[in-house]
């Protein structure tokens, strides 16, 4: 996805300090107005002007750092096979927190804090598959790291690696490795149901599998429509119109349902 970012120049170190000071002055002026104080004999209109300047400074600071959010979101989108726009949104939340927390008096550039907070939000969202994995961010991150190490180990050794060998390589208890691998890994939006989960009739048409009835109603409705269990398969756009929700909502429900189906299929294998 190509994000359309605002055309705002990157900030110099001096720009960052100047804007941070304006933000602080605006916050201070806003607190004074709410408390009825008049620091330095400032008038209400002068304090209101400082508040407006602070808001403008925050917006400028924020917009000038959206490229950093896009870079981090793009990296994690490629790692986890997730839509960049959703990870970008989580990164924007981290950026806002970083702008509020950054202390220019420490002498560091904003990126030293901004990158860490943005990456924390984006990686957390990627680990839990944008809120659709039933695990904490710590659990999801640990599972992701174990799976990534497993893949790298098999690539390096040129063969399949068992769980015992993986546990020895990680220096971890086998039970802990199995527990971390029990969480369903992130899946791509383009991933379809496994063939084993899509039985055929004698005429070759797909029929609803037994496990479909065990899914929540909303998930059952989305999978039935998307994969043709309830008639001709339809697109996310047409399904969203039929359900009266956004295409993004349909995509999230589909992802959640696919993850649940994948876990069922793997457990039955």
């Amino acid at each position: 996805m190509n994000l359309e970012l605002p055309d705002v120049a990157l900030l110099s170190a001096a720009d960052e300090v100047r804007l941070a000071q304006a933000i602080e002055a605006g916050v201070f002026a806003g607190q004074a107005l709410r408390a009825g104080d008049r620091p330095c004999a400032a008038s209400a209109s002068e304090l209101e002007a400082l508040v407006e300047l602070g808001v403008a400074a925050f917006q400028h600071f924020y917009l000038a750092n959206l490229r950093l959010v896009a870079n981090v979101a793009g990296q994690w989108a490629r790692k986890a096979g997730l839509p960049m726009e959703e990870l970008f949104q989580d990164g924007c939340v981290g950026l806002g927190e970083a702008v509020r927390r950054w202390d220019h008096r420490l002498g560091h550039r904003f990126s030293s804090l901004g990158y860490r907070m943005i990456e924390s939000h984006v990686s957390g969202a990627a680990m839990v598959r944008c809120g659709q994995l039933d695990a904490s961010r710590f659990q999801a991150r640990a599972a992701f790291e174990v799976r990534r190490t497993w893949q790298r180990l098999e690539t390096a050794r040129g063969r399949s690696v068992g769980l015992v060998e993986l546990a020895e390589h990680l220096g971890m208890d086998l039970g802990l490795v199995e527990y971390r691998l029990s969480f369903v890994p992130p899946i791509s939006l383009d991933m379809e149901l496994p063939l084993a989960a899509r039985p055929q009739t004698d005429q070759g048409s797909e029929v609803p599998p037994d496990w479909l009835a065990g899914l929540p109603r909303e998930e059952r409705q989305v999978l039935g429509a998307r994969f043709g269990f309830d008639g001709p398969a339809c697109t996310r756009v047409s399904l969203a119109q039929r359900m009266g929700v956004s295409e993004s909502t349909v995509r999230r429900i589909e992802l959640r349902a696919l993850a649940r189906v994948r876990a069922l299929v793997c457990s039955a294998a």
Side-chain angles (χ1 to χ4, degrees), residues 28-107:
F28 179 75
Q31 291 174 341
L33 282 171
R34 288 189 293 272
D37 298 334
R38 294 294 181 267
C40 302
S43 65
S45 60
E46 289 173 331
L47 293 176
E48 290 170 355
L50 286 175
V51 171
E52 293 179 1
L53 289 173
V55 171
F58 183 93
Q59 292 175 341
H60 187 178
F61 206 129
Y62 185 91
L63 295 176
N65 283 281
L66 285 179
R67 291 185 186 87
L68 179 59
V69 178
N71 289 337
V72 176
Q75 293 170 9
W76 275 98
R78 290 188 293 273
K79 285 182 182 179
L82 293 170
M84 180 178 174
E85 68 267 23
E86 294 188 11
L87 299 182
F88 180 79
Q89 292 171 6
D90 283 275
C92 287
V93 175
L95 173 60
E97 291 185 10
V99 173
R100 293 182 178 91
R101 292 178 56 178
W102 182 59
D103 187 349
H104 63 87
R105 299 174 188 81
L106 298 177

Side-chain angles (χ1 to χ4, degrees), residues 156-195:
R157 299 186 178 180
R159 58 177 174 79
S160 298
V161 172
L163 292 184
V164 174
E165 187 176 357
L166 174 62
E168 292 176 351
H169 176 78
L170 292 169
M172 295 169 55
D173 180 75
L174 178 60
L176 179 57
V177 171
E178 291 176 337
Y179 171 73
R180 290 185 175 177
L181 290 175
S182 67
F183 295 105
V184 179
I187 58 176
S188 169
L189 286 174
D190 296 326
M191 177 178 289
E192 295 207 352
L193 287 172
L195 293 178

